[in-house]
Amino acid sequence: MIGNDIFALQKAYYRQIVPDILLTKKYGDTSGMGYKYVSEAESMTEPGLLQVAAEYNMKIGFTQNKAKRLQLVKEKNQVLGDLEAAVELLRGTYGLPSNPHHWTSVAMRTMKHYNALTMLTGFAAAIPDAARVVMTSGIKRGFQTQFELLADSISGGSIYKLGKKEAQSWGEAVDLITNQRAMLFADMPSDMFGFVNKMESAMGKTSQFNFMYINLMSRWTEMAKSMASVTIGSRIIEDSIKWGKGGLSDKWKTALASSGIDEKMASRIAVQFETHGTKLKHNFIAGTSEWTDDAAKKAFGAALNKDINITIVTPGKGDTPLFMNYELASTIVQFKKFAMAATQRMLMRGMQEKDMDFLFGSILLMGSGMLVDSVYTTFRFDKDYSKKSLTAKLLAAFDRSGLGGIYVDINRSIEALTDNRIGIAPLMGEGKPYGSSMKSKIGLLGPSASQIYNVFDIMYDVGGKSYNHYTARNVRRLIPFQNVWYLDWLFDDIEKGLR
């Protein structure tokens, strides 16, 4: 099959060739096997899968106990399987069907784009992202750096632009160019197969247009990551300087170490900043384009890249179970990868840190979640927010904050399956037991199953001459952009016309 979209071909080529170049540079081949590795002294590459297998084989050979040998064989197979999966995830080949152009594969990918077009509300749902800066960089530092940034922006300063430029130099805050957010929500690890089929290609481009210009999620993400870059970059440099002077607490030493910066590298980063950087009242502008120490520059960039994606939660290759990368499974669990990433990057990380930054950040997340719920309740659903009970407000705020991660989705599934008899809401006395609709139960099989059921429900109503306002609502749910929060008034009028 031949594609004629030069831009799509260029992106597909880039996404395929760059991982292969990096793997070959590190291991000597694109599969990470380590064929050319001899020894640390004689080789320019790192040990690969073959060397890991050889070490296990040697250990197994010297083990006399039969039970321990069997245990080592099992461990070897598990480790090699995980490493092979990691290589395939990097290359974007894990879980691919034998024929990605088969009609079932095209249908599932097209459906995922369509779900993103018809179901997502837009950037307002991501407003709690703003509170994450305080949670990951500290209460005092988070507020000081962000308020200085905002005040500077109002007066026409350049702090935001410099932070955005720094982030973009390391491959972040480029969502308007790469469409990364659109691809993640559509659960597309790569669009290298989507430009051949005209219908899939059109749906994909419409989805990307939606994220850029309609629901504005790509623009919000780019702005949020640019703002986070200012605070995170300042934290890395400030802590690197303090570490060299012996005045850095263990918490922030651990934060730097988890991003790949040890004490010696911190000193090198501090030297480069003092030579080429700019110190403002609260912010530290790195100016890495002028740095002469390549190792320090790469270490700073890698740390900035990693921490931006932790702060503005972005699913990574290792945040989700492997089964979620298979075609059918990814269709069923669409939109859940962000919840899985939030579980790892926000909930688990915060519970391990157990400090005031996480507690105060959680309060801010709950507050912003409550703000979003208030806006949606008043303007989208045309209801009086003040009539909600405190319990209902707190539950909705917790849901929209993202603090609960995947466990919120698990709880919602349990409540649907048990007709609201088991779950957090009934446990707190919020909501009486009710008969869940078949649609809510079918929806547990994913957004695509919910859409298909919706179509059959409309056909049943039309065929049985029982068309009513519920049918009109179902028809509306099939229209692209209908769930974008600020367009709700328009689609309310369209729904009235469909009755």
Side-chain angles (χ1 to χ4, degrees):
M1 305 181 79
I2 299 175
N4 57 10
D5 187 333
I6 186 62
F7 297 107
L9 285 167
Q10 187 179 29
K11 284 200 296 181
Y13 176 79
Y14 174 83
R15 286 175 176 153
Q16 185 175 5
I17 203 69
V18 168
D20 285 353
I21 291 173
L22 295 176
L23 285 167
T24 303
K25 183 179 179 180
K26 188 173 182 66
Y27 300 108
D29 59 89
T30 59
S31 301
M33 299 300 291
Y35 288 118
K36 297 181 180 181
Y37 183 82
V38 179
S39 67
E40 188 174 348
E42 300 176 69
S43 303
M44 296 178 65
T45 57
E46 301 283 338
L49 295 176
L50 290 176
Q51 287 70 45
V52 174
E55 288 184 12
Y56 266 109
N57 290 337
M58 185 179 295
K59 193 172 182 179
I60 292 167
F62 283 108
T63 302
Q64 300 298 322
N65 186 287
K66 185 177 179 180
K68 288 184 178 179
R69 289 183 66 181
L70 290 173
Q71 186 178 357
L72 282 171
V73 170
K74 183 178 179 181
E75 182 183 323
K76 168 193 165 185
N77 293 335
Q78 179 66 48
V79 168
L80 289 175
D82 288 343
L83 292 174
E84 287 174 3
V87 172
E88 290 179 21
L89 284 171
L90 285 173
R91 300 185 68 202
T93 58
Y94 189 88
L96 284 180
S98 56
N99 179 13
H101 300 295
H102 192 270
W103 72 268
T104 55
S105 299
V106 172
M108 280 189 272
R109 291 196 300 268
T110 304
M111 196 67 190
K112 286 194 281 189
H113 283 306
Y114 177 68
N115 293 337
L117 272 172
T118 55
M119 293 184 167
L120 298 180
T121 59
F123 76 92
I127 287 175
D129 283 346
R132 287 283 294 152
V133 174
V134 173
M135 184 180 281
T136 58
S137 291
I139 301 170
K140 183 179 179 181
R141 178 160 42 198
F143 277 114
Q144 285 180 337
T145 55
Q146 288 296 300
F147 276 121
E148 183 178 25
L149 163 65
L150 292 172
D152 180 76
S153 297
I154 292 171
S155 61
S158 59
I159 295 178
Y160 173 81
K161 292 179 181 178
L162 291 171
K164 181 177 181 178
K165 181 181 178 182
E166 193 67 58
Q168 289 182 333
S169 69
W170 300 106
E172 293 300 330
V174 288
D175 295 76
L176 289 176
I177 300 170
T178 63
N179 300 308
Q180 183 189 28
R181 214 63 169 180
M183 298 295 289
L184 287 170
F185 271 109
D187 207 353
M188 298 288 181
S190 170
D191 58 356
M192 67 177 65
F193 305 110
F195 59 83
V196 177
N197 182 278
K198 290 183 178 180
M199 183 177 179
E200 182 186 354
S201 178
M203 194 67 74
K205 289 177 180 177
T206 307
S207 179
Q208 291 168 9
F209 178 85
N210 176 39
F211 276 82
M212 285 186 181
Y213 303 110
I214 306 298
N215 74 19
L216 306 177
M217 184 63 83
S218 291
R219 292 182 178 275
W220 169 270
T221 303
E222 187 169 295
M223 182 191 73
K225 287 190 173 184
S226 299
M227 294 177 69
S229 170
V230 174
T231 297
I232 294 167
S234 296
R235 169 171 61 79
I236 294 171
I237 291 171
E238 183 182 10
D239 289 351
S240 294
I241 295 171
K242 285 183 177 180
W243 200 351
K245 295 178 179 179
L248 187 63
S249 66
D250 289 340
K251 173 187 174 176
W252 298 115
K253 287 179 183 178
T254 303
L256 286 178
S258 69
S259 297
I261 297 174
D262 58 16
E263 187 173 1
K264 289 183 179 179
M265 186 55 70
S267 298
R268 293 170 69 173
I269 289 173
V271 169
Q272 289 298 302
F273 171 76
E274 288 168 3
T275 306
H276 305 286
T278 304
K279 170 68 173 72
L280 303 176
K281 185 176 181 180
H282 299 297
N283 282 296
F284 295 71
I285 306 302
T288 56
S289 59
E290 304 294 329
W291 288 18
T292 55
D293 186 338
D294 285 340
K297 183 176 180 178
K298 288 179 180 178
F300 175 85
L304 183 68
N305 185 289
K306 179 181 178 181
D307 286 353
I308 285 175
N309 284 316
I310 289 174
T311 302
I312 309 301
V313 176
T314 306
K317 300 292 184 183
D319 287 327
T320 56
L322 288 175
F323 81 88
M324 284 191 175
N325 294 281
Y326 287 98
E327 195 173 58
L328 179 60
S330 70
T331 305
I332 294 173
V333 299
Q334 187 182 3
F335 306 145
K336 304 302 181 191
K337 284 191 175 182
F338 276 87
M340 290 295 298
T343 305
Q344 299 294 329
R345 298 174 181 239
M346 190 190 313
L347 181 62
M348 296 300 180
R349 182 186 177 98
M351 291 177 70
Q352 289 170 353
E353 290 174 349
K354 296 181 294 187
D355 60 10
M356 286 300 296
D357 291 333
F358 175 69
L359 178 60
F360 193 76
S362 298
I363 294 171
L364 287 179
L365 281 170
M366 287 287 289
S368 55
M370 192 171 285
L371 172 65
V372 173
D373 184 51
S374 173
V375 172
Y376 278 16
T377 301
T378 305
F379 297 102
R380 284 196 66 205
F381 309 131
D382 199 24
K383 294 181 180 179
D384 188 351
Y385 183 72
S386 63
K387 291 183 179 180
K388 268 190 171 184
S389 68
L390 178 61
T391 304
K393 289 177 180 178
L394 290 174
L395 286 173
F398 183 73
D399 188 356
R400 297 190 185 280
S401 71
L403 269 171
I406 194 65
Y407 300 110
V408 170
D409 293 292
I410 294 172
N411 173 70
R412 195 180 295 121
S413 299
I414 292 172
E415 289 178 350
L417 288 172
T418 62
D419 295 336
N420 205 41
R421 289 181 172 85
I422 301 175
I424 295 177
L427 182 66
M428 297 182 71
E430 187 61 38
K432 298 178 181 179
Y434 57 85
S436 298
S437 66
M438 179 58 67
K439 183 177 180 179
S440 66
K441 291 182 170 66
I442 292 291
L444 299 179
L445 297 176
S448 296
S450 181
Q451 293 280 51
I452 292 169
Y453 180 83
N454 201 28
V455 171
F456 279 103
D457 200 20
I458 293 169
M459 292 171 63
Y460 179 81
D461 287 349
V462 173
K465 297 182 179 180
S466 54
Y467 191 102
N468 54 30
H469 64 285
Y470 292 112
T471 314
R473 173 60 59 87
N474 286 337
V475 173
R476 170 189 169 165
R477 288 183 177 131
L478 298 177
I479 304 174
F481 317 127
Q482 65 87 23
N483 219 25
V484 177
W485 66 278
Y486 67 85
L487 294 178
D488 197 61
W489 63 272
L490 173 63
F491 287 96
D492 282 346
D493 289 342
I494 293 173
E495 183 183 333
K496 290 175 184 177
L498 292 170
R499 292 176 183 174

